[in-house]
Amino acid sequence: MRYRSLTVETAPAVEPVTLTEAKQHLRVDIDDDDTYIEALIVAARQYAEEYLDRALISQQLAVRMDTFPYEFELPRPPMATSGTLTTTAVTYALDPGSASTAVPTTTTLSTSQYRVDRDDTPGRIRTVYNGTWPSHLSDPNAVTVTWWAGYGSSTSDVPQAIRNAILMIVGHLYERRLAADSMASNEVSFGVKALLNTAKWGSYR
């Protein structure tokens, strides 16, 4: 499946590691750099998500494409599996036919017309058995799917190996504030990737 864009509609409410945990890891006992360290935690989480191609903390995502595929493979697993975060939505632009319209009308597909496989990696959306996708306008970004992904809404829901890797990335960025220096390589350490690789399963696009 090829999609035009992947966006975060609702950002994570917390990060995989807390400011307190990061400061303990850095052995920082003053508050002067708190804002900077918090920014590094966000950057480290985003790096880990890109490297793993996974969502860590619960977040709402959206993909957009020009037409309905055979089935949707939803990026950034795992899909949320319980509670209110299981909400999904499939919207699409209606084909106006011969009518002229400046802005195509969009509608939301009834959840009774498709199945959601949350246990697969990545999660998938398929039509009901013997069903078909509706007729629609084939146009850039004509079809949008939104869903919730992530290990959970709490810091402790994220696997420990990933949390430790994020702390190591924060430490690396905190100590190396320049794009390059003469003291040491600025490449993320092998240890970080070794920890992240325990949760990496490969590409599916």
Side-chain angles (χ1 to χ4, degrees):
M1 180 195 75
R2 289 185 176 273
Y3 53 81
R4 274 188 180 272
S5 65
L6 169 64
T7 56
V8 178
E9 301 296 295
T10 304
V14 299
E15 294 297 331
V17 300
T18 66
L19 174 62
T20 298
E21 289 172 326
K23 291 176 71 173
Q24 289 174 344
H25 177 77
L26 297 171
R27 297 184 179 180
V28 171
D29 56 9
I30 59 173
D31 299 334
D32 297 23
D33 283 350
D34 281 8
T35 299
Y36 180 62
I37 294 171
E38 287 174 334
L40 294 182
I41 293 171
V42 174
R45 188 254 302 164
Q46 292 173 338
Y47 174 90
E49 288 180 330
E50 287 291 332
Y51 183 83
L52 294 171
D53 214 0
R54 287 183 177 271
L56 302 183
I57 295 290
S58 296
Q59 53 195 270
Q60 188 183 45
L61 302 174
V63 291
R64 293 171 177 83
M65 57 204 69
D66 299 347
T67 187
F68 279 99
Y70 171 73
E71 65 177 17
F72 294 97
E73 289 184 344
L74 302 180
R76 298 293 171 89
M79 286 190 74
T81 58
S82 62
T84 59
L85 299 186
T86 58
T87 302
T88 60
V90 179
T91 61
Y92 59 98
L94 298 174
D95 190 341
S98 59
S100 176
T101 176
V103 180
T105 302
T106 60
T107 189
T108 300
L109 185 65
S110 170
T111 56
S112 65
Q113 293 185 256
Y114 60 86
R115 299 169 288 147
V116 180
D117 184 353
R118 302 179 184 281
D119 297 321
D120 202 356
T121 302
R124 299 174 189 271
I125 291 180
R126 306 178 177 96
T127 62
V128 294
Y129 294 107
N130 297 319
T132 59
W133 297 117
S135 174
H136 67 94
L137 176 67
S138 181
D139 198 47
N141 301 313
V143 180
T144 301
V145 180
T146 59
W147 75 100
W148 288 85
Y151 287 101
S153 300
S154 301
T155 295
S156 59
D157 291 327
V158 179
Q160 188 63 51
I162 298 177
R163 299 180 69 237
N164 285 355
I166 288 174
L167 288 172
M168 291 174 67
I169 297 170
V170 171
H172 176 87
L173 296 174
Y174 187 78
E175 293 297 328
R176 305 294 179 205
R177 303 194 183 196
L178 301 178
D181 59 47
S182 59
M183 299 300 293
S185 170
N186 279 38
E187 173 67 22
V188 174
S189 72
F190 169 79
V192 169
K193 293 183 178 179
L195 287 171
L196 291 178
N197 283 342
T198 63
K200 191 174 184 180
W201 56 272
S203 176
Y204 48 85
R205 283 182 287 174

